[in-house]
Amino acid sequence: MTDLSFDIKSLETLLRDKKDESSDEEDQPVKNLSAKLGPGSIGPKKKESSESQEKSNLYAKKQCKDIWDEDEVEAGAEYDTTDDPRIQPEYQILFKQKLSSEELFLQMGNKTPATSSCEDMVVKIELPGIEKVSEIDINTYDKFLDCRTSKYRLGLHLPHAINAKTSNAKWDAKNSVLIVTMTMNREYDFVNF
């Protein structure tokens, strides 16, 4: 009978993985759980980096002449106009739909009067005292409209993203109004149209 128990123990040692082995300390129940936990044990474990990596990161930061990291600067901060002494002109933001005759008269489409069914955004900028179009400098970006003249400066953060390449502007010389029409570029437009 002793031979059989010896064979079973030797068979067990052959079949057992080395990874399954654990020390006796891990099998013991933890008597004082708070002794093992502390403020450093909250959150994911930090990867230990070598000193050479830290030195190279510091060296790279010293070589760069930027004042702030890209993460520290808010989106749209490059369009800040707080220091500009020019007057901000009056403006209106309007939304425009493209309707067919069936949608207009028979109401057979799925469009609603809400802005979610609009394709274009129209910004009307009143520029009194400006007589020529050549005096106006206008630029459109994905979520920003920049309009400048010698007297006025408008930096407008738009409520929706637009397609800057398809934007157009018209000058109404009689009323001194610049009308900028921009096609909106929204994520879920395929649902509304």
Side-chain angles (χ1 to χ4, degrees):
M1 191 133 188
T2 57
D3 292 331
L4 184 62
S5 66
F6 178 73
D7 290 337
I8 291 175
K9 290 285 185 186
S10 61
L11 182 63
E12 180 185 358
T13 57
L14 284 174
L15 296 176
R16 185 183 312 155
D17 284 340
K18 301 275 185 192
K19 296 176 186 173
D20 291 343
E21 294 180 11
S22 61
S23 65
D24 291 336
E25 292 177 9
E26 292 177 356
D27 294 337
Q28 299 286 334
V30 179
K31 294 179 182 175
N32 189 0
L33 186 61
S34 63
K36 285 193 170 187
L37 297 177
S41 60
I42 297 172
K45 300 288 182 188
K46 292 183 179 178
K47 295 180 182 178
E48 299 205 13
S49 60
S50 64
E51 291 180 21
S52 62
Q53 287 178 345
E54 290 178 10
K55 287 181 181 177
S56 65
N57 289 342
L58 288 173
Y59 180 73
K61 285 186 178 179
K62 287 181 181 178
Q63 293 296 325
C64 182
K65 294 184 179 185
D66 292 342
I67 297 172
W68 296 287
D69 291 335
E70 289 182 15
D71 302 340
E72 297 174 336
V73 179
E74 294 179 24
E78 63 268 19
Y79 307 123
D80 190 19
T81 60
T82 55
D83 297 333
D84 198 338
R86 292 179 278 187
I87 301 169
Q88 178 175 331
E90 299 271 331
Y91 65 90
Q92 293 178 346
I93 299 176
L94 307 169
F95 294 95
K96 185 171 148 183
Q97 291 183 350
K98 296 177 183 170
L99 296 174
S100 66
S101 59
E102 295 160 346
E103 292 169 331
L104 184 62
F105 296 111
L106 302 175
Q107 299 173 354
M108 294 178 64
N110 61 347
K111 292 195 178 186
T112 64
T115 59
S116 60
S117 295
C118 296
E119 292 92 4
D120 295 330
M121 183 185 325
V122 179
V123 178
K124 293 184 177 182
I125 307 168
E126 297 176 14
L127 301 169
I130 304 299
E131 297 176 5
K132 298 179 184 176
V133 178
S134 59
E135 297 178 39
I136 303 169
D137 182 24
I138 187 162
N139 292 311
T140 56
Y141 303 98
D142 288 340
K143 288 208 59 144
F144 191 76
L145 172 73
D146 186 19
C147 180
R148 301 176 188 192
T149 67
S150 58
K151 297 179 183 179
Y152 302 102
R153 166 84 192 268
L154 177 64
L156 182 62
H157 292 275
L158 301 172
H160 300 287
I162 61 152
N163 186 354
K165 293 178 182 177
T166 61
S167 300
N168 62 38
K170 293 181 183 176
W171 175 245
D172 181 7
K174 182 179 178 183
N175 298 323
S176 297
V177 174
L178 180 68
I179 303 167
V180 184
T181 305
M182 300 164 281
T183 305
M184 289 190 285
N185 187 15
R186 292 180 291 199
E187 188 175 356
Y188 296 109
D189 274 349
F190 66 92
V191 175
N192 294 322
F193 308 119

